[in-house]
Amino acid sequence: MHLFDLSGKTAVVTGCKRGIGYAMALGLAEAGADIVGISASLQPDSAIEQAVKKAGRQFSSYQCDFSKRDSLYQFISAVKEDHGTPDILVNNAGTILRDPAAQHSDEYWDKVIEVNQSAPFILSREFGRDMIERGSGKIIFTASLLTFQGGITVPGYAASKGAIGQLTMALSNEWAGKGVQVNAIAPGYIRTDNTQALQDNEERSSSILSRIPANRWGTPDDFVGPIVFLASEASNYVNGTILVVDGGWMGR
């Protein structure tokens, strides 16, 4: 089991305040990693900070609005100054804005693309450059079922998550031979704030559930195993993979 041991590692986890990001951050901490947590509204002594510290690991809290490019670069500089080069980068932060394509505004499009696509690329480039120089690192993106499918009334989100899939492979093609593994996790239908509208729609929720072979919606805890695997030595020969965690949805 030493292959999954993250003792002595530092993981940057974006979007760690709740949901999947919270579970990922806590899972990495329970495997031994110290956590650098970031969210647009993360406050000191947050629930995730308390949980990580209860697990016996250190937690450093940062706030950043990834839709603002200047703030993103300030965050990157602060992390490098405070922590050096992280061992693990989890690009989980994201947003979703719903409107039919014919009414999908420039503002909706620009914000979703900036947060979901541009920010993860910049984070990966800036931290990845240092990982390459060191000769080791793990970068993990949160993709989506809409990396593979088009979705409905979320054109910006679908476009951004499709791009994440391609970016995962593009970075892996360049960096796998330099000791940096780049992979992604694609969640299926998970009980989080982002899917609350779908959960509350009885007809839509029933339709979704009927297609999931596992016969249940996923939970954030379903991502603890996958994130620890991709962040650890156990995945050292896994490169450019999009690991689908969906209860079997994509197999139907």
Side-chain angles (χ1 to χ4, degrees):
M1 296 301 292
H2 70 280
L3 287 173
F4 298 92
D5 185 8
L6 299 178
S7 298
K9 305 292 187 182
T10 298
V12 173
V13 184
T14 72
C16 69
K17 183 179 177 180
R18 59 182 181 267
I20 293 172
Y22 181 107
M24 287 178 168
L26 182 55
L28 293 170
E30 290 174 340
D34 293 324
I35 305 299
V36 175
I38 172 65
S39 177
S41 58
L42 192 64
Q43 298 294 329
D45 201 34
S46 62
I48 183 58
E49 180 171 351
Q50 293 178 32
V52 167
K53 289 181 174 178
K54 186 176 180 181
R57 307 314 309 163
Q58 296 180 19
F59 186 92
S60 300
S61 178
Y62 294 84
Q63 260 191 22
C64 182
D65 182 351
F66 284 175
S67 69
K68 295 179 171 55
R69 191 71 61 90
D70 289 346
S71 296
L72 175 62
Y73 278 110
Q74 289 170 10
F75 162 68
I76 293 168
S77 295
V79 171
K80 288 188 176 187
E81 182 175 346
D82 295 344
H83 304 280
T85 303
D87 302 285
I88 303 155
L89 170 63
V90 181
N91 284 308
N92 173 71
T95 191
I96 186 167
L97 296 171
R98 300 177 185 276
D99 230 354
Q103 286 80 46
H104 208 77
S105 67
D106 287 355
E107 290 76 17
Y108 270 26
W109 177 270
D110 290 345
K111 181 173 183 178
V112 171
I113 295 299
E114 190 68 23
V115 173
N116 292 7
Q117 181 176 331
S118 297
F121 169 68
I122 291 169
L123 286 162
S124 300
R125 182 189 66 203
E126 296 301 306
F127 289 124
R129 182 186 298 124
D130 297 336
M131 291 177 176
I132 290 168
E133 184 175 345
R134 184 181 57 203
S136 66
K138 302 279 186 173
I139 298 176
I140 303 141
F141 293 95
T142 296
S144 169
L145 292 183
L146 298 197
T147 300
F148 312 100
Q149 301 174 324
I152 300 170
T153 72
V154 287
Y157 184 82
S160 69
K161 291 302 183 179
I164 288 298
Q166 295 301 113
L167 183 59
T168 298
M169 293 182 282
L171 296 184
S172 176
N173 287 344
E174 294 191 37
W175 296 352
K178 299 175 181 179
V180 179
Q181 289 81 53
V182 184
N183 294 288
I185 296 173
Y189 284 94
I190 313 301
R191 292 195 181 279
T192 65
D193 292 348
N194 271 356
T195 62
Q196 193 61 55
L198 294 176
Q199 295 175 58
D200 292 342
N201 184 324
E202 186 175 344
E203 182 178 351
R204 185 83 172 96
S205 179
S206 177
S207 173
I208 289 169
L209 189 60
S210 70
R211 179 174 162 167
I212 301 174
N215 199 35
R216 67 172 177 87
W217 284 63
T219 70
D221 286 344
D222 289 316
F223 294 86
V224 172
I227 195 67
V228 171
F229 168 63
L230 290 177
S232 70
E233 291 182 8
S235 62
N236 278 356
Y237 198 58
V238 179
N239 297 277
T241 290
I242 303 171
L243 176 58
V244 182
V245 182
D246 67 348
W249 173 281
M250 288 298 295
R252 284 296 285 267

